[in-house]
Amino acid sequence: MGFYVKKLVSICGDELSTKHANHNCSVLTSSSVCEQLKELLAVKNGFYGFESALHVFPYESTDEEIGLLDWNEKSLWIAYYNDMALDAFYFAEDVFGSQFCVRNDGIYSFDPETADFSKIAETINDWCHLILNDYNILTGYSLAHSWQKLHGAIPPGHRLVPKIPFVTGGEYDIENLYLECTYKSLIARANLALQIRDIPDGNTIKMITQE
């Protein structure tokens, strides 16, 4: 296991599941990076870090936490993006519900508002290095900290979602954030991503905002 994997695991919270079965992530993607993810989950089977700003899913679902297999079930939220969120294995998320995933050639981030994939690392160890070096940007730590000081801890299965989407000019500010069930927020933002993809030049986007 890589040095940065060990370091990230050591500073994050307790594992979310004590079950340590055969974490065979290759059932959903053939990427060689899956073996590295398997090693990570064998050490700590899901966890939160940076005051819950980072969430790594456990392999299997528990009473409180959804697991990787269920999270990657297409009918839960992936299918709502039509073909825009396919060919990826989602294993972690930041405080806003932006996803980190494994694809055939490395680790990517997935923007739920635009469905854009961006390659950020070659290996799980590289990804852990990035998180450790730039956790505030990559996890949304400072906003997670500020929001929870006012409203309390973020419960399992929830993220902080922008009332006005970031892609349409919404600010990265606690006044623009509300607590929402993660998969429900992704379903809503899938509609936004599809509009952005399909809208002709000069047309407007319909947004649902929260008070």
Side-chain angles (χ1 to χ4, degrees):
M1 179 178 295
F3 171 79
Y4 296 109
V5 172
K6 293 179 181 177
K7 186 173 181 180
L8 180 63
V9 167
S10 71
I11 67 171
C12 288
D14 295 337
E15 65 181 353
L16 301 178
S17 172
T18 57
K19 296 180 181 179
H20 286 276
N22 179 25
H23 297 165
N24 182 17
C25 303
S26 64
V27 297
L28 293 176
T29 177
S30 60
S31 172
S32 61
V33 183
C34 277
E35 188 63 30
Q36 301 162 21
L37 181 58
K38 177 181 175 180
E39 292 176 0
L40 170 63
L41 295 176
V43 175
K44 187 171 283 189
N45 191 7
F47 54 86
Y48 288 99
F50 309 105
E51 297 187 33
S52 295
L54 175 67
H55 175 211
V56 175
F57 294 91
Y59 186 74
E60 63 287 292
S61 295
T62 68
D63 290 341
E64 290 191 336
E65 296 285 346
I66 189 167
L68 287 171
L69 296 183
D70 291 329
W71 185 245
N72 282 274
E73 179 62 43
K74 291 182 176 60
S75 61
L76 181 65
W77 64 270
I78 294 172
Y80 289 86
Y81 284 88
N82 291 349
D83 60 346
M84 299 174 73
L86 299 177
D87 303 319
F89 183 57
Y90 301 91
F91 69 91
E93 60 189 358
D94 70 9
V95 75
F96 310 116
S98 296
Q99 300 292 301
F100 297 107
C101 60
V102 176
R103 304 189 84 190
N104 284 336
D105 61 340
I107 311 297
Y108 284 72
S109 62
F110 175 79
D111 186 330
E113 296 182 358
T114 63
D116 288 338
F117 287 100
S118 299
K119 187 175 182 180
I120 59 175
E122 296 285 345
T123 68
I124 291 291
N125 193 56
D126 292 341
W127 175 75
C128 291
H129 190 193
L130 285 175
I131 296 293
L132 288 164
N133 277 355
D134 204 5
Y135 61 87
N136 194 40
I137 296 298
L138 292 176
T139 72
Y141 163 73
S142 62
L143 280 175
H145 172 76
S146 297
W147 191 92
Q148 289 176 99
K149 282 184 68 176
L150 289 175
H151 303 287
I154 299 171
H158 292 72
R159 297 282 86 185
L160 301 181
V161 180
K163 299 173 183 177
I164 300 175
F166 300 131
V167 71
T168 61
E171 296 184 358
Y172 285 86
D173 184 275
I174 59 173
E175 296 300 322
N176 188 41
L177 298 175
Y178 70 100
L179 188 68
E180 177 61 285
C181 175
T182 313
Y183 79 87
K184 291 181 180 179
S185 78
L186 293 174
I187 291 172
R189 286 184 280 183
N191 179 266
L192 176 62
L194 290 170
Q195 288 188 68
I196 291 172
R197 181 186 69 174
D198 298 333
I199 191 168
D201 291 342
N203 284 30
T204 57
I205 295 173
K206 295 179 181 180
M207 294 190 303
I208 301 174
T209 60
Q210 300 288 327
E211 296 297 335

